[in-house]
Amino acid sequence: MTDSLLVQLEERSYPIYFESIQSLLKKEVDQLEKENKTRFLVTDENLKATHSGYIKAMGFEESEIFVVPAGERSKSISVYKDLLSFLASNAANRDSVLFAFGGGVIGDLAGFAAASYLRGIHFYQIPTSLLAMVDSSVGGKTGINLPEGKNLVGAFWQPKAVFIDQALLETLPDNEFASGLAEVIKYGLISDKALFEQLAKIGEIKKDSKNLIDIIRRCCSIKAEVVSKDEQETASKDGRALLNLGHTFGHAIENVAGYGSYLHGEAISIGFYIASLLSENLNASFSSKDTAEVKKLLEQNGLPTSLKSPLSVELLNKAITRDKKNRASGIRYIIMKAIGDARTLEGVEPNLINDLWLKVGASEESH
Ligand code: GLY
Protein backbone atom coordinates (compact mmCIF):
# COMPACT_ATOMS: atom_id res chain seq x y z
CA MET A 1 0.00 0.00 0.00
CA THR A 2 1.24 3.51 -0.81
CA ASP A 3 2.36 5.55 2.18
CA SER A 4 -0.17 8.37 2.56
CA LEU A 5 -2.19 10.27 5.13
CA LEU A 6 -5.59 11.84 4.83
CA VAL A 7 -6.52 15.45 5.56
CA GLN A 8 -10.01 14.94 6.98
CA LEU A 9 -12.34 17.64 5.69
CA GLU A 10 -15.56 15.77 4.93
CA GLU A 11 -16.27 15.97 1.19
CA ARG A 12 -13.08 18.00 0.69
CA SER A 13 -10.81 15.37 2.31
CA TYR A 14 -7.63 14.56 0.38
CA PRO A 15 -4.53 12.39 0.60
CA ILE A 16 -0.91 13.43 1.02
CA TYR A 17 1.38 10.88 -0.65
CA PHE A 18 4.95 10.26 0.49
CA GLU A 19 6.32 7.61 -1.86
CA SER A 20 6.28 6.42 -5.49
CA ILE A 21 5.39 10.01 -6.34
CA GLN A 22 6.54 10.00 -9.97
CA SER A 23 4.53 6.93 -10.89
CA LEU A 24 1.47 8.20 -8.98
CA LEU A 25 1.64 11.51 -10.83
CA LYS A 26 2.00 9.80 -14.19
CA LYS A 27 -1.02 7.64 -13.37
CA GLU A 28 -3.05 10.71 -12.42
CA VAL A 29 -2.15 12.54 -15.65
CA ASP A 30 -2.91 9.42 -17.73
CA GLN A 31 -6.29 9.12 -16.02
CA LEU A 32 -7.13 12.76 -16.88
CA GLU A 33 -6.13 12.05 -20.46
CA LYS A 34 -8.46 9.04 -20.55
CA GLU A 35 -11.32 11.16 -19.20
CA ASN A 36 -10.63 13.83 -21.79
CA LYS A 37 -9.85 16.41 -19.08
CA THR A 38 -7.24 19.03 -19.90
CA ARG A 39 -4.42 19.66 -17.42
CA PHE A 40 -1.99 22.52 -16.91
CA LEU A 41 1.10 22.90 -14.77
CA VAL A 42 2.44 26.06 -13.11
CA THR A 43 6.11 26.31 -12.18
CA ASP A 44 8.96 28.84 -12.11
CA GLU A 45 11.88 29.39 -14.48
CA ASN A 46 14.47 27.79 -12.16
CA LEU A 47 12.42 24.70 -11.41
CA LYS A 48 11.50 24.31 -15.06
CA ALA A 49 15.20 24.28 -15.95
CA THR A 50 16.23 21.96 -13.10
CA HIS A 51 13.34 19.51 -13.25
CA SER A 52 12.37 19.47 -16.93
CA GLY A 53 12.86 15.66 -17.03
CA TYR A 54 10.61 15.19 -14.00
CA ILE A 55 7.85 17.39 -15.47
CA LYS A 56 8.09 15.65 -18.85
CA ALA A 57 7.96 12.22 -17.22
CA MET A 58 4.67 13.23 -15.59
CA GLY A 59 3.27 13.60 -19.11
CA PHE A 60 3.18 17.38 -19.61
CA GLU A 61 3.84 19.03 -22.94
CA GLU A 62 5.42 22.49 -23.27
CA SER A 63 2.12 24.09 -24.28
CA GLU A 64 0.51 22.92 -21.02
CA ILE A 65 3.13 24.57 -18.80
CA PHE A 66 2.85 28.13 -17.46
CA VAL A 67 6.24 29.40 -16.30
CA VAL A 68 6.64 32.41 -13.98
CA PRO A 69 9.79 34.22 -12.81
CA ALA A 70 11.24 32.66 -9.63
CA GLY A 71 10.53 34.51 -6.39
CA GLU A 72 7.89 36.24 -4.32
CA ARG A 73 7.24 38.88 -6.99
CA SER A 74 5.28 36.31 -8.99
CA LYS A 75 2.58 36.33 -6.31
CA SER A 76 1.24 39.49 -7.91
CA ILE A 77 -2.03 40.60 -9.47
CA SER A 78 -0.35 40.87 -12.87
CA VAL A 79 1.10 37.30 -12.89
CA TYR A 80 -2.22 36.01 -11.50
CA LYS A 81 -4.06 37.75 -14.34
CA ASP A 82 -1.63 36.28 -16.92
CA LEU A 83 -2.20 32.81 -15.48
CA LEU A 84 -5.99 33.21 -15.75
CA SER A 85 -5.58 34.42 -19.35
CA PHE A 86 -3.34 31.40 -20.08
CA LEU A 87 -6.10 29.10 -18.82
CA ALA A 88 -8.83 30.93 -20.72
CA SER A 89 -6.84 31.09 -23.97
CA ASN A 90 -6.22 27.33 -23.70
CA ALA A 91 -9.95 26.78 -23.30
CA ALA A 92 -9.59 25.38 -19.77
CA ASN A 93 -13.05 24.36 -18.56
CA ARG A 94 -14.67 23.23 -15.30
CA ASP A 95 -13.12 19.76 -15.69
CA SER A 96 -9.60 21.06 -16.26
CA VAL A 97 -7.02 20.47 -13.54
CA LEU A 98 -4.10 22.62 -12.43
CA PHE A 99 -0.84 21.20 -11.02
CA ALA A 100 1.31 23.45 -8.81
CA PHE A 101 4.95 22.36 -9.11
CA GLY A 102 7.06 24.52 -6.84
CA GLY A 103 7.49 26.15 -3.46
CA GLY A 104 5.09 28.34 -1.51
CA VAL A 105 4.89 31.07 -4.17
CA ILE A 106 3.79 28.65 -6.89
CA GLY A 107 1.38 26.78 -4.60
CA ASP A 108 -0.27 30.00 -3.40
CA LEU A 109 -0.52 31.52 -6.89
CA ALA A 110 -1.72 28.37 -8.68
CA GLY A 111 -4.06 27.54 -5.80
CA PHE A 112 -5.68 30.96 -5.96
CA ALA A 113 -6.04 30.74 -9.74
CA ALA A 114 -7.66 27.30 -9.25
CA ALA A 115 -9.94 28.72 -6.55
CA SER A 116 -11.17 31.58 -8.72
CA TYR A 117 -11.04 30.42 -12.37
CA LEU A 118 -14.63 29.54 -13.40
CA ARG A 119 -15.48 29.79 -9.68
CA GLY A 120 -13.12 26.96 -8.89
CA ILE A 121 -11.36 24.05 -10.60
CA HIS A 122 -9.43 21.11 -9.12
CA PHE A 123 -5.73 21.44 -8.33
CA TYR A 124 -2.84 19.31 -7.09
CA GLN A 125 0.17 20.37 -5.05
CA ILE A 126 3.67 19.04 -5.79
CA PRO A 127 5.78 21.00 -3.31
CA THR A 128 9.48 21.30 -4.15
CA SER A 129 10.70 23.17 -1.04
CA LEU A 130 10.77 21.90 2.53
CA LEU A 131 8.63 24.85 3.65
CA ALA A 132 5.95 24.01 1.08
CA MET A 133 6.10 20.29 1.97
CA VAL A 134 5.46 20.79 5.67
CA ASP A 135 3.35 23.93 5.60
CA SER A 136 2.01 25.84 2.61
CA SER A 137 0.97 22.92 0.36
CA VAL A 138 -1.27 21.46 3.06
CA GLY A 139 -4.38 23.18 4.41
CA GLY A 140 -5.79 25.13 1.49
CA LYS A 141 -4.53 28.67 2.10
CA THR A 142 -4.02 30.24 -1.33
CA GLY A 143 -3.41 33.82 -2.35
CA ILE A 144 -1.34 36.62 -3.78
CA ASN A 145 0.26 39.83 -2.48
CA LEU A 146 -0.76 43.46 -2.92
CA PRO A 147 1.74 46.36 -2.93
CA GLU A 148 0.27 47.12 0.54
CA GLY A 149 1.15 43.76 2.05
CA LYS A 150 1.63 40.02 1.71
CA ASN A 151 -1.24 37.55 1.18
CA LEU A 152 -3.89 40.26 1.34
CA VAL A 153 -6.00 38.58 -1.37
CA GLY A 154 -6.78 34.89 -1.34
CA ALA A 155 -9.14 32.04 -0.68
CA PHE A 156 -9.34 28.79 1.21
CA TRP A 157 -9.25 26.20 -1.56
CA GLN A 158 -8.16 22.68 -0.74
CA PRO A 159 -6.10 20.69 -3.25
CA LYS A 160 -7.31 17.28 -4.45
CA ALA A 161 -4.03 15.68 -3.34
CA VAL A 162 -0.50 16.60 -2.27
CA PHE A 163 2.52 14.64 -3.58
CA ILE A 164 5.68 14.88 -1.45
CA ASP A 165 8.92 13.65 -3.03
CA GLN A 166 12.02 14.05 -0.84
CA ALA A 167 14.20 13.68 -3.97
CA LEU A 168 13.02 17.14 -5.12
CA LEU A 169 14.86 18.68 -2.15
CA GLU A 170 18.26 17.71 -3.57
CA THR A 171 18.45 20.86 -5.69
CA LEU A 172 17.00 23.19 -3.01
CA PRO A 173 19.56 25.84 -1.91
CA ASP A 174 20.83 25.27 1.66
CA ASN A 175 19.43 28.52 3.04
CA GLU A 176 15.97 27.65 1.66
CA PHE A 177 16.23 24.24 3.27
CA ALA A 178 17.09 25.87 6.61
CA SER A 179 14.15 28.22 6.15
CA GLY A 180 11.85 25.18 5.86
CA LEU A 181 13.41 23.66 8.96
CA ALA A 182 12.07 26.60 10.94
CA GLU A 183 8.52 25.41 10.16
CA VAL A 184 9.53 21.84 11.06
CA ILE A 185 10.81 23.01 14.45
CA LYS A 186 7.56 24.96 14.89
CA TYR A 187 5.50 21.75 14.95
CA GLY A 188 7.64 20.44 17.79
CA LEU A 189 7.18 23.70 19.67
CA ILE A 190 3.40 23.96 19.28
CA SER A 191 2.29 20.39 19.79
CA ASP A 192 4.88 17.64 19.79
CA LYS A 193 7.55 17.54 22.47
CA ALA A 194 8.77 14.15 21.21
CA LEU A 195 9.37 15.66 17.75
CA PHE A 196 11.29 18.56 19.30
CA GLU A 197 13.41 16.09 21.27
CA GLN A 198 14.03 13.99 18.16
CA LEU A 199 15.18 17.13 16.29
CA ALA A 200 17.35 18.24 19.24
CA LYS A 201 18.98 14.81 19.29
CA ILE A 202 19.80 15.02 15.57
CA GLY A 203 21.08 18.59 16.03
CA GLU A 204 21.87 19.66 12.48
CA ILE A 205 19.15 18.26 10.21
CA LYS A 206 20.32 17.51 6.66
CA LYS A 207 18.57 17.18 3.30
CA ASP A 208 19.66 13.58 2.88
CA SER A 209 19.02 12.65 6.49
CA LYS A 210 17.51 9.16 6.67
CA ASN A 211 14.74 10.29 9.02
CA LEU A 212 13.75 13.35 7.05
CA ILE A 213 10.74 11.88 5.22
CA ASP A 214 9.34 10.57 8.53
CA ILE A 215 9.86 13.99 10.08
CA ILE A 216 8.07 15.66 7.12
CA ARG A 217 5.26 13.13 7.46
CA ARG A 218 4.94 13.88 11.18
CA CYS A 219 4.70 17.64 10.45
CA CYS A 220 2.04 17.04 7.78
CA SER A 221 0.03 14.88 10.14
CA ILE A 222 0.07 17.60 12.83
CA LYS A 223 -0.95 20.20 10.25
CA ALA A 224 -3.69 17.92 8.87
CA GLU A 225 -5.12 17.45 12.35
CA VAL A 226 -5.09 21.17 13.14
CA VAL A 227 -6.67 22.08 9.78
CA SER A 228 -9.36 19.39 10.12
CA LYS A 229 -10.50 20.96 13.39
CA ASP A 230 -10.32 24.64 12.38
CA GLU A 231 -10.10 24.83 8.58
CA GLN A 232 -10.64 28.59 8.24
CA GLU A 233 -8.93 29.73 11.44
CA THR A 234 -12.20 30.85 13.02
CA ALA A 235 -11.77 29.24 16.46
CA SER A 236 -12.01 31.90 19.15
CA LYS A 237 -8.86 30.52 20.77
CA ASP A 238 -6.01 28.17 19.86
CA GLY A 239 -6.98 26.15 16.72
CA ARG A 240 -5.27 26.88 13.41
CA ALA A 241 -3.89 30.16 14.78
CA LEU A 242 -1.34 28.11 16.75
CA LEU A 243 0.43 27.45 13.44
CA ASN A 244 1.34 31.13 13.58
CA LEU A 245 3.75 30.76 16.50
CA GLY A 246 6.43 33.44 16.07
CA HIS A 247 4.80 34.64 12.84
CA THR A 248 3.46 37.96 14.18
CA PHE A 249 7.05 38.94 15.02
CA GLY A 250 8.43 37.32 11.88
CA HIS A 251 5.99 39.10 9.55
CA ALA A 252 6.86 42.43 11.22
CA ILE A 253 10.58 41.79 10.63
CA GLU A 254 10.00 40.86 6.96
CA ASN A 255 7.85 43.95 6.49
CA VAL A 256 10.18 46.49 8.16
CA ALA A 257 13.44 45.03 6.78
CA GLY A 258 11.90 44.99 3.27
CA TYR A 259 10.61 41.79 1.67
CA GLY A 260 13.52 39.68 0.49
CA SER A 261 15.95 40.79 3.22
CA TYR A 262 15.03 37.78 5.34
CA LEU A 263 13.81 34.40 4.15
CA HIS A 264 10.47 33.63 5.79
CA GLY A 265 12.03 30.87 7.91
CA GLU A 266 14.78 33.23 9.12
CA ALA A 267 12.26 35.86 10.20
CA ILE A 268 10.03 33.37 12.04
CA SER A 269 13.09 31.81 13.67
CA ILE A 270 13.75 35.15 15.38
CA GLY A 271 9.99 35.13 16.07
CA PHE A 272 10.23 31.73 17.83
CA TYR A 273 13.00 33.04 20.04
CA ILE A 274 10.92 36.11 20.94
CA ALA A 275 7.87 33.87 21.55
CA SER A 276 10.02 31.76 23.90
CA LEU A 277 11.11 34.86 25.83
CA LEU A 278 7.47 36.01 25.97
CA SER A 279 6.37 32.58 27.20
CA GLU A 280 9.08 32.67 29.87
CA ASN A 281 7.88 36.11 30.97
CA LEU A 282 4.20 35.23 31.13
CA ASN A 283 4.17 31.83 32.72
CA ALA A 284 6.35 30.13 35.23
CA SER A 285 6.16 26.73 33.58
CA PHE A 286 8.22 27.82 30.54
CA SER A 287 11.77 28.21 31.83
CA SER A 288 14.93 29.94 30.65
CA LYS A 289 16.27 26.41 30.05
CA ASP A 290 13.44 25.85 27.54
CA THR A 291 14.30 29.13 25.80
CA ALA A 292 17.97 28.10 25.66
CA GLU A 293 17.03 24.73 24.09
CA VAL A 294 14.90 26.43 21.43
CA LYS A 295 17.71 28.88 20.66
CA LYS A 296 20.29 26.11 20.43
CA LEU A 297 18.26 24.01 17.96
CA LEU A 298 17.53 27.03 15.75
CA GLU A 299 21.19 28.08 15.68
CA GLN A 300 22.42 24.52 15.04
CA ASN A 301 20.35 24.64 11.87
CA GLY A 302 21.73 27.93 10.62
CA LEU A 303 18.68 29.92 11.71
CA PRO A 304 19.06 33.38 13.31
CA THR A 305 17.83 34.39 16.77
CA SER A 306 18.70 38.07 16.44
CA LEU A 307 18.29 40.74 13.76
CA LYS A 308 20.98 41.02 11.06
CA SER A 309 21.00 44.77 11.61
CA PRO A 310 18.93 46.94 13.96
CA LEU A 311 15.33 47.75 13.00
CA SER A 312 13.21 50.38 14.74
CA VAL A 313 11.02 49.11 17.60
CA GLU A 314 8.42 51.73 16.65
CA LEU A 315 8.21 50.49 13.05
CA LEU A 316 8.18 46.85 14.12
CA ASN A 317 5.27 47.55 16.49
CA LYS A 318 3.41 49.47 13.79
CA ALA A 319 3.84 46.49 11.48
CA ILE A 320 2.41 44.21 14.19
CA THR A 321 -0.74 46.31 14.43
CA ARG A 322 -1.22 45.98 10.66
CA ASP A 323 -0.82 42.18 10.67
CA LYS A 324 -3.71 40.61 8.76
CA LYS A 325 -4.15 38.03 11.50
CA ASN A 326 -5.29 40.66 14.02
CA ARG A 327 -8.89 40.48 15.17
CA ALA A 328 -11.31 43.11 16.44
CA SER A 329 -10.33 41.99 19.93
CA GLY A 330 -6.71 42.98 19.30
CA ILE A 331 -3.35 41.37 18.65
CA ARG A 332 -3.29 37.66 19.27
CA TYR A 333 0.07 36.22 20.34
CA ILE A 334 0.99 32.55 20.59
CA ILE A 335 2.86 31.48 23.70
CA MET A 336 4.05 28.13 24.98
CA LYS A 337 3.08 26.63 28.33
CA ALA A 338 5.85 24.16 27.66
CA ILE A 339 7.74 22.93 24.60
CA GLY A 340 5.04 21.07 22.65
CA ASP A 341 2.10 22.91 24.21
CA ALA A 342 1.10 26.30 22.73
CA ARG A 343 -1.82 28.68 23.41
CA THR A 344 -3.24 31.87 21.91
CA LEU A 345 -3.18 34.93 24.16
CA GLU A 346 -4.62 38.43 23.85
CA GLY A 347 -4.02 41.52 25.96
CA VAL A 348 -0.21 41.38 26.18
CA GLU A 349 1.34 44.59 27.60
CA PRO A 350 2.94 46.57 24.71
CA ASN A 351 5.93 47.48 26.92
CA LEU A 352 6.80 43.84 27.31
CA ILE A 353 6.95 43.48 23.53
CA ASN A 354 9.24 46.54 23.32
CA ASP A 355 11.71 44.90 25.71
CA LEU A 356 11.71 41.70 23.69
CA TRP A 357 12.44 43.55 20.45
CA LEU A 358 15.44 45.17 22.15
CA LYS A 359 16.67 41.72 23.23
CA VAL A 360 16.93 40.60 19.58
CA GLY A 361 18.83 43.70 18.49
CA ALA A 362 16.10 46.21 17.57
CA SER A 363 16.75 49.87 18.17
CA GLU A 364 14.78 52.50 20.10
CA GLU A 365 15.76 55.18 17.59
CA SER A 366 13.12 55.79 14.95
CA HIS A 367 14.44 55.48 11.40
N1 GLY B 1 0.81 28.56 7.58
C1 GLY B 1 -0.21 28.62 8.54
C2 GLY B 1 -1.48 27.98 8.11
O1 GLY B 1 -1.52 27.29 7.12
O2 GLY B 1 -2.48 28.14 8.78
Side-chain angles (χ1 to χ4, degrees), residues 183-197 199 219 222 336 338-341:
E183 298 283 4
V184 170
I185 293 169
K186 176 188 80 179
Y187 290 105
L189 296 176
I190 63 169
S191 75
D192 193 338
K193 181 144 202 252
L195 173 62
F196 183 87
E197 282 168 353
L199 298 172
C219 296
I222 297 171
M336 291 167 278
I339 289 178
D341 185 7

Side-chain angles (χ1 to χ4, degrees), residues 131 134-141 156 183 186-187 223 226-227 230-231 233 240-245 247 251 264 325:
L131 189 142
V134 298
D135 184 31
S136 58
S137 71
V138 177
K141 281 190 180 173
F156 286 99
E183 298 283 4
K186 176 188 80 179
Y187 290 105
K223 177 138 191 193
V226 172
V227 168
D230 182 22
E231 184 184 5
E233 211 170 306
R240 186 165 183 163
L242 295 180
L243 297 173
N244 301 327
L245 176 76
H247 282 57
H251 288 158
H264 178 66
K325 296 187 189 303

Side-chain angles (χ1 to χ4, degrees), residues 38 40 85-94 96 117-118:
T38 52
F40 301 94
S85 294
F86 168 80
L87 293 172
S89 62
N90 280 288
N93 60 35
R94 286 227 162 111
S96 300
Y117 183 72
L118 300 181

Side-chain angles (χ1 to χ4, degrees), residues 246 248-250 252-253 262 266-278 291 295 298-299 303-313 316-317 320 352-364:
T248 299
F249 304 113
I253 294 168
Y262 286 81
E266 293 173 336
I268 60 166
S269 170
I270 302 170
F272 297 160
Y273 179 55
I274 302 176
S276 304
L277 293 170
L278 182 63
T291 303
K295 187 169 190 281
L298 293 170
E299 289 175 354
L303 290 162
T305 51
S306 62
L307 297 171
K308 293 178 191 173
S309 54
L311 299 172
S312 142
V313 171
L316 288 163
N317 284 340
I320 284 188
L352 178 52
I353 304 296
N354 288 351
D355 290 347
L356 300 181
W357 281 129
L358 296 174
K359 282 200 174 137
V360 298
S363 147
E364 269 174 318

Side-chain angles (χ1 to χ4, degrees), residues 96-346:
S96 300
V97 176
L98 205 52
F99 288 70
F101 185 89
V105 167
I106 297 296
D108 285 6
L109 169 73
F112 186 48
S116 47
Y117 183 72
L118 300 181
R119 299 202 181 91
I121 60 170
H122 290 171
F123 91 112
Y124 291 96
Q125 290 268 22
I126 309 150
T128 58
S129 71
L130 181 59
L131 189 142
M133 288 179 186
V134 298
D135 184 31
S136 58
S137 71
V138 177
K141 281 190 180 173
T142 71
I144 53 173
N145 304 327
L146 291 181
E148 290 78 7
K150 275 177 81 166
N151 297 326
L152 291 186
V153 180
F156 286 99
W157 190 248
Q158 301 292 345
K160 282 285 141 194
V162 181
F163 298 85
I164 295 183
D165 188 347
Q166 187 181 350
L168 289 170
L169 293 177
E170 273 162 30
T171 50
L172 187 71
D174 289 343
N175 60 346
E176 299 266 0
F177 180 74
S179 177
L181 283 175
E183 298 283 4
V184 170
I185 293 169
K186 176 188 80 179
Y187 290 105
L189 296 176
I190 63 169
S191 75
D192 193 338
K193 181 144 202 252
L195 173 62
F196 183 87
E197 282 168 353
Q198 181 188 3
L199 298 172
K201 203 161 155 211
I202 302 173
E204 189 190 343
I205 303 138
K206 302 237 173 74
K207 270 190 221 168
D208 56 359
S209 152
K210 236 185 25 244
N211 307 323
L212 187 62
I213 196 70
D214 299 325
I215 291 170
I216 293 173
R217 196 183 195 290
R218 181 74 201 119
C219 296
C220 288
S221 105
I222 297 171
K223 177 138 191 193
E225 202 182 319
V226 172
V227 168
S228 305
K229 291 192 184 134
D230 182 22
E231 184 184 5
Q232 302 206 355
E233 211 170 306
T234 46
S236 56
K237 64 183 180 76
D238 303 336
R240 186 165 183 163
L242 295 180
L243 297 173
N244 301 327
L245 176 76
H247 282 57
T248 299
F249 304 113
H251 288 158
I253 294 168
E254 286 182 275
N255 181 282
V256 176
Y259 291 107
S261 309
Y262 286 81
L263 290 175
H264 178 66
E266 293 173 336
I268 60 166
S269 170
I270 302 170
F272 297 160
Y273 179 55
I274 302 176
S276 304
L277 293 170
L278 182 63
S279 306
E280 207 186 306
N281 256 282
L282 295 177
N283 68 79
S285 57
F286 197 91
S287 67
S288 56
K289 190 170 153 281
D290 291 323
T291 303
E293 276 182 34
V294 175
K295 187 169 190 281
K296 182 172 167 202
L297 182 58
L298 293 170
E299 289 175 354
Q300 274 175 320
N301 286 287
L303 290 162
T305 51
S306 62
L307 297 171
K308 293 178 191 173
S309 54
L311 299 172
S312 142
V313 171
E314 190 189 329
L315 293 182
L316 288 163
N317 284 340
K318 270 200 185 129
I320 284 188
T321 59
R322 286 196 307 266
D323 197 287
K324 74 173 188 314
K325 296 187 189 303
N326 294 338
R327 297 295 175 86
S329 49
I331 301 163
R332 198 194 271 187
Y333 291 97
I334 322 292
I335 59 156
M336 291 167 278
K337 278 190 77 182
I339 289 178
D341 185 7
R343 301 287 149 92
T344 49
L345 185 76
E346 281 164 20

